[in-house]
Amino acid sequence: MKAKKILALLLALALVMGLAACGGGSSTDATEGGSKSPSSGDSSVTAGIPEYLNMDSQLPIVKEGTDITLKIMVVNGPMYQNLESIHDVYFVDAYEKMTGVKIEWIEVPSESFGDQLTMMLATNELPDVILKGDISNANQYKYGAQGYFLDLMQNDRLQTYAPNYWALCQKYPEILSSSQMPDGQIYSLGMVRNSTGSTVTSKLYFNQEWLDTLGLKVPTTQDELYNVLYQFKNGDPNGNGKADEVGLYLKPEHLEFVTLGMFGIGNRGRNNAFIDYDEEAGSVRYFATTDEYRQWIEWVSKLYAEGLLNQEYFDVTESKLGYNISSNTCGVFAYINLCMIDEATQRKFTYLDGALTGTNGGNDYYGVNSIGSTGSFVITTACEHPEVALRWADYFYSDEGSLFFYFGDEGVTYNALEDGTYQYTDEVLAGFYAGTNTYDDCATKVSLYGYGNTPTMTKVPFNAADDNKGIALESANALIEDCAIAWPEFTFTKQEQRVIEDNKTDIDKYVKSQRDAWIMGQAELTDESWNTYLTTIERMGLQDVLEVYESALQRAYDNGFVDGYHTLDEFK
């Protein structure tokens, strides 16, 4: 017995070392798994509903006198790691009392989750549930096929024990398209982004005081945006007599989210990098090979060369963004919310009335998410009571459960306002009001929603996240009807996944590297260099990649996904 344990640990160590050699050690998602077959446990659904379950109401989950413990591995982001214990989060103990289900928490820092999961798979010492693991579809499919993760579609588990989630699946076809494997299995519950603030993943904000000082309006076109940035950079709008203003301050991905659409590319959202739809050809397209993408690079290069775009292009953090805004040196920025600045500063900013129109007539918006997501809540085959685990998570997909998950209990951690919204108590938000913590950091005292993909929905007003309140929500509401319904994060067969890993991963890395070199002036964009770029991408297997995405898209259509545009009414 001792020899077997030593062998298992040696195998686990070899796997972890292999991951590190491939660069996987720092991932928040395991990229390799052991090949051992796990013990099956008692994970099958019985012919009838277990006697110990309370099916007359959502809570408690089990009947009085039932003693069931779930072992939940939760992935903790930075602020949660600063807590003495996960029990410092109000939700944790309060929900245990409400459900009647005991929880043994296994806390894992986000930066080491990949290694921890690999070790558990190799030694077959699995928790019952993995919470906030953000486990990719590829790894769900792999580990599910190896028998580690439970198929939630088997024996109507979802319909029976997750009725709230299943109802959302019927309302939003994107959910199943995001999570259902090519063979029909579903291995996880995901966040349902049924709010505009979460669906529009990046918003462009403008300093209203600067606009007023210079006699400018919020831009509606590409040329007007350039003019605003130029005037902000050169017109001393903060009035301090120094040339310290930054026109546009953002991360590379947010730059793409808010500007690619006005060049007519990125027309199916951001869930599948560089993939969109060629309306003329009627087929999937890798838009980083289009003339429009070259025009976008040339335009951004001009912004960078003229100092209208922040020069620390790769080194933008949330804290740096907050500092520049609060120091009154930032004129325009893009982010999902404004959690890094206080409410008074937030009100100094305004937003786009709709998607910007480019000089070529483009009027799409790339920075939009699919309503459906995946990987938030995975039940392993070690779980002896999967029906209890499903019921435990399903509550968060109801209005009542979502309100509790985000805000806690009325009069204790939040107050109901006269306008029908909710707000944390002054005690919870003390650090935010004092300027020592962000809004989301303060929320860690109450909820587990921060720093992760959580198994809940984002419906307003029950969602507490900063992207669904204030200026961020107003901006999303203004943009949503210019947003195409984003393609879901596709699922792939084993053979298709091999093409993605062998071809697309390298193509994407090459594209980003070349893009950044051209934008920052480290390489010259000429006809010759552009043609070399296109030829290189083709030689790396682009056509095989496009064939894979065509197949994946067709499966999404077969699962009920429908192309179209969002309306504001669908989120009410």
Side-chain angles (χ1 to χ4, degrees):
M1 180 66 71
K2 186 177 294 185
K4 289 182 179 179
K5 288 185 177 180
I6 293 173
L7 178 59
L9 288 172
L10 288 172
L11 286 170
L13 180 61
L15 280 167
V16 172
M17 292 177 68
L19 270 176
C22 297
S26 61
S27 172
T28 58
D29 190 0
T31 55
E32 294 292 338
S35 59
K36 287 179 61 179
S37 297
S39 58
S40 60
D42 184 14
S43 60
S44 62
V45 174
T46 57
I49 294 173
E51 276 293 321
Y52 52 77
L53 278 185
N54 167 36
M55 300 298 285
D56 295 330
S57 59
Q58 293 198 88
L59 297 174
I61 292 173
V62 295
K63 295 177 181 178
E64 187 176 355
T66 304
D67 185 11
I68 289 177
T69 299
L70 293 177
K71 185 183 294 184
I72 298 181
M73 173 194 278
V74 60
V75 181
N76 282 343
M79 281 303 294
Y80 293 101
Q81 296 173 32
N82 293 335
L83 300 175
E84 289 187 12
S85 166
I86 196 170
H87 295 279
D88 291 341
V89 180
Y90 180 83
F91 159 86
V92 170
D93 290 342
Y95 195 50
E96 184 167 317
K97 293 176 182 177
M98 292 164 63
T99 60
V101 178
K102 299 174 184 176
I103 305 297
E104 179 185 336
W105 292 96
I106 304 171
E107 300 179 64
V108 179
S110 54
E111 60 271 19
S112 63
F113 170 64
D115 291 343
Q116 285 278 87
L117 180 59
T118 301
M119 181 74 76
M120 286 185 167
L121 290 168
T123 58
N124 194 25
E125 295 181 359
L126 294 171
D128 296 319
V129 170
I130 301 170
L131 176 65
K132 296 174 62 176
D134 202 20
I135 299 176
S136 68
N137 280 330
N139 281 337
Q140 289 178 49
Y141 194 37
K142 176 170 66 176
Y143 298 136
Q146 292 176 4
Y148 292 104
F149 295 164
L150 196 67
D151 177 12
L152 305 182
M153 289 296 284
Q154 188 178 23
N155 299 322
D156 294 331
R157 284 190 177 96
L158 273 184
Q159 297 93 316
T160 304
Y161 302 117
N164 293 318
Y165 186 78
W166 187 250
L168 290 170
C169 289
Q170 308 316 300
K171 183 176 182 180
Y172 303 109
E174 300 96 310
I175 298 175
L176 289 181
S177 299
S178 296
S179 57
Q180 193 158 21
M181 301 299 148
D183 300 329
Q185 305 95 334
I186 292 180
Y187 293 112
S188 76
L189 305 181
M191 177 182 285
V192 177
R193 304 185 188 99
N194 55 344
S195 64
T196 60
S198 298
T199 299
V200 181
T201 192
S202 185
K203 301 93 171 173
L204 196 60
Y205 303 101
F206 298 82
N207 190 314
Q208 183 66 64
E209 292 182 348
W210 289 16
L211 290 172
D212 294 340
T213 296
L214 299 174
L216 300 171
K217 295 181 180 180
V218 174
T220 60
T221 67
Q222 178 183 342
D223 289 341
E224 290 176 2
L225 175 61
Y226 173 82
N227 182 56
V228 167
L229 297 178
Y230 183 86
Q231 296 296 331
F232 277 5
K233 173 64 178 174
N234 299 291
D236 192 27
N238 65 13
N240 65 0
K242 301 177 182 179
D244 57 353
E245 292 89 350
V246 177
L248 184 59
Y249 196 90
L250 36 57
K251 294 181 178 181
E253 60 265 30
H254 285 279
L255 177 64
E256 292 181 333
F257 292 158
V258 299
T259 61
L260 277 174
M262 62 185 180
F263 289 82
I265 49 181
N267 57 32
R268 291 298 185 273
R270 47 74 51 110
N271 295 104
N272 303 280
F274 300 113
I275 297 292
D276 74 349
Y277 191 70
D278 188 331
E279 302 285 357
E280 293 184 5
S283 60
V284 170
R285 172 177 67 179
Y286 192 80
F287 66 72
T289 61
T290 63
D291 291 340
E292 291 82 0
Y293 188 71
R294 176 178 176 174
Q295 293 164 13
W296 175 79
I297 291 176
E298 291 170 341
W299 182 76
V300 175
S301 299
K302 180 181 180 181
L303 299 184
Y304 190 86
E306 295 181 6
L308 309 186
L309 174 64
N310 55 287
Q311 300 298 288
E312 60 272 28
Y313 186 58
F314 295 107
D315 194 29
V316 176
T317 63
E318 188 175 285
S319 59
K320 286 185 178 181
L321 177 58
Y323 174 79
N324 276 274
I325 296 170
S326 300
S327 300
N328 200 26
T329 57
C330 175
V332 185
F333 71 95
Y335 204 61
I336 188 170
N337 55 40
L338 297 93
C339 70
M340 76 298 295
I341 54 178
D342 59 45
E343 289 192 49
T345 306
Q346 289 181 18
R347 286 294 166 184
K348 294 180 181 179
F349 283 82
T350 188
Y351 46 84
L352 294 173
D353 290 328
L356 293 162
T357 301
T359 54
N360 68 356
N363 186 236
D364 294 301
Y365 201 78
Y366 180 48
V368 58
N369 263 319
S370 170
I371 288 178
S373 66
T374 184
S376 307
F377 187 86
V378 173
I379 302 175
T380 76
T381 49
C383 183
E384 296 183 358
H385 304 286
E387 67 285 344
V388 173
L390 267 179
R391 289 284 309 280
W392 190 91
D394 187 58
Y395 181 59
F396 310 139
Y397 296 99
S398 67
D399 291 353
E400 174 187 308
S402 180
L403 176 61
F404 170 74
F405 180 84
Y406 285 102
F407 283 101
D409 285 318
E410 185 174 3
V412 181
T413 54
Y414 78 88
N415 295 311
L417 306 184
E418 291 183 0
D419 62 0
T421 62
Y422 307 94
Q423 182 172 297
Y424 289 126
T425 62
D426 289 346
E427 182 181 359
V428 171
L429 292 177
F432 179 60
Y433 295 145
T436 56
N437 292 104
T438 68
Y439 174 90
D440 285 341
D441 289 341
C442 290
T444 58
K445 302 174 185 177
V446 179
S447 174
L448 290 176
Y449 85 75
Y451 303 101
N453 182 359
T454 54
T456 183
M457 61 179 186
T458 65
K459 182 180 177 181
V460 173
F462 311 109
N463 179 274
D466 206 54
D467 29 311
N468 285 301
K469 60 191 289 287
I471 298 295
L473 182 60
E474 293 173 21
S475 175
N477 287 343
L479 285 167
I480 193 65
E481 296 196 355
D482 286 331
C483 294
I485 297 173
W487 280 346
E489 180 182 343
F490 294 123
T491 60
F492 303 105
T493 66
K494 187 175 181 179
Q495 286 183 320
E496 290 169 348
Q497 186 61 38
R498 189 173 297 119
V499 173
I500 298 298
E501 293 173 357
D502 292 347
N503 297 14
K504 187 172 186 292
T505 300
D506 289 339
I507 291 174
D508 289 352
K509 287 180 181 178
Y510 171 70
V511 167
K512 291 177 182 178
S513 174
Q514 195 63 54
R515 171 201 67 189
D516 295 335
W518 280 327
I519 287 174
M520 300 176 72
Q522 297 169 350
E524 187 178 3
L525 177 52
T526 64
D527 288 346
E528 182 179 358
S529 64
W530 179 255
N531 289 332
T532 299
Y533 164 83
L534 295 180
T535 301
T536 301
I537 292 174
E538 284 294 331
R539 288 175 177 171
M540 295 174 77
L542 178 60
Q543 291 308 310
D544 291 338
V545 170
L546 293 176
E547 289 176 9
V548 164
Y549 274 93
E550 287 284 3
S551 298
L553 176 60
Q554 186 56 54
R555 283 195 298 272
Y557 289 146
D558 292 343
N559 280 333
F561 177 80
V562 178
D563 286 311
Y565 278 80
H566 286 296
T567 66
L568 187 56
D569 287 342
E570 75 182 271
F571 294 95
K572 293 180 178 178

